[in-house]
Amino acid sequence: MQQKFNHQPHIGRRILAALIDYGLIYTFIYVFLMSFGTPTTMGGYSITGLPILIPIAFWLLMTIGLESGLGGTLGNSIVGLKAIPQNGRNRKLSFSESFKRHFLDLVDMSFLGLPAILLLKRTEKCQRFGDLWAKTIVVKMSSLETPATSRS
């Protein structure tokens, strides 16, 4: 069943959710590089070959996997937000919808998240680039009808 929402940007919650999600992802990548990487002449670490797929797989699991499999990323779940289709149906996103949302995270989070913040404030349904491409919205979980109430 479709719902009508009073669209709010939830900027503080969305920033906190992103900090949680990407804090975990970056921490994993850092530990992985320090544990399995080769020191470079510039003082960093690098990984080559197939092991480079491990951080990518972790990113896929923590963003797209959790969102399409369980209904939300860890960060969104902690702060009480959920991404749903923009038609307002309370359902988990498909792999494709979630992939589109998160593929553009780099663009949305560039320049300290300014592109996303500007779009959240200026679009009718408070969407960032990833949401616009995926045709999704982010709402408070508490605003969603439960399956029992949506049937009545």
Side-chain angles (χ1 to χ4, degrees), residues 56-67:
I56 295 168
F58 187 77
W59 172 81
L60 282 167
L61 173 70
M62 291 297 292
T63 56
I64 301 159
L66 289 177
E67 194 167 72

Side-chain angles (χ1 to χ4, degrees), residues 33-77:
L33 280 171
M34 297 301 285
S35 300
F36 301 104
T38 307
T40 65
T41 58
M42 305 266 304
Y45 288 83
S46 70
I47 295 208
T48 57
L50 285 178
I52 195 87
L53 296 177
I54 294 172
I56 295 168
F58 187 77
W59 172 81
L60 282 167
L61 173 70
M62 291 297 292
T63 56
I64 301 159
L66 289 177
E67 194 167 72
S68 62
L70 299 178
T73 65
L74 189 59
N76 274 351
S77 297

Side-chain angles (χ1 to χ4, degrees), residues 14 16 33 135:
R14 290 180 78 158
L16 183 56
L33 280 171
K135 296 179 175 55

Side-chain angles (χ1 to χ4, degrees), residues 20-140:
I20 292 167
D21 290 335
Y22 279 93
L24 290 169
I25 291 167
Y26 291 142
T27 299
F28 173 83
I29 292 171
Y30 177 80
V31 170
F32 182 77
L33 280 171
M34 297 301 285
S35 300
F36 301 104
T38 307
T40 65
T41 58
M42 305 266 304
Y45 288 83
S46 70
I47 295 208
T48 57
L50 285 178
I52 195 87
L53 296 177
I54 294 172
I56 295 168
F58 187 77
W59 172 81
L60 282 167
L61 173 70
M62 291 297 292
T63 56
I64 301 159
L66 289 177
E67 194 167 72
S68 62
L70 299 178
T73 65
L74 189 59
N76 274 351
S77 297
I78 289 171
V79 301
L81 296 176
K82 183 176 181 181
I84 61 172
Q86 71 182 11
N87 67 9
R89 290 191 59 221
N90 181 6
R91 67 164 172 81
K92 292 185 278 187
L93 296 182
S94 69
F95 181 88
S96 173
E97 289 166 329
S98 186
F99 180 82
K100 288 176 182 178
R101 285 190 80 240
H102 293 289
F103 186 75
L104 292 179
D105 280 354
L106 186 61
V107 174
D108 284 321
M109 293 180 189
S110 61
F111 303 104
L112 299 175
L114 191 59
I117 292 169
L118 290 174
L119 279 174
L120 290 173
K121 289 184 172 192
R122 298 183 192 278
T123 55
E124 180 183 344
K125 295 181 179 179
C126 303
Q127 296 164 291
R128 57 186 183 84
F129 284 114
D131 293 316
L132 291 168
W133 185 29
K135 296 179 175 55
T136 58
I137 57 175
V138 175
V139 298
K140 277 186 168 179

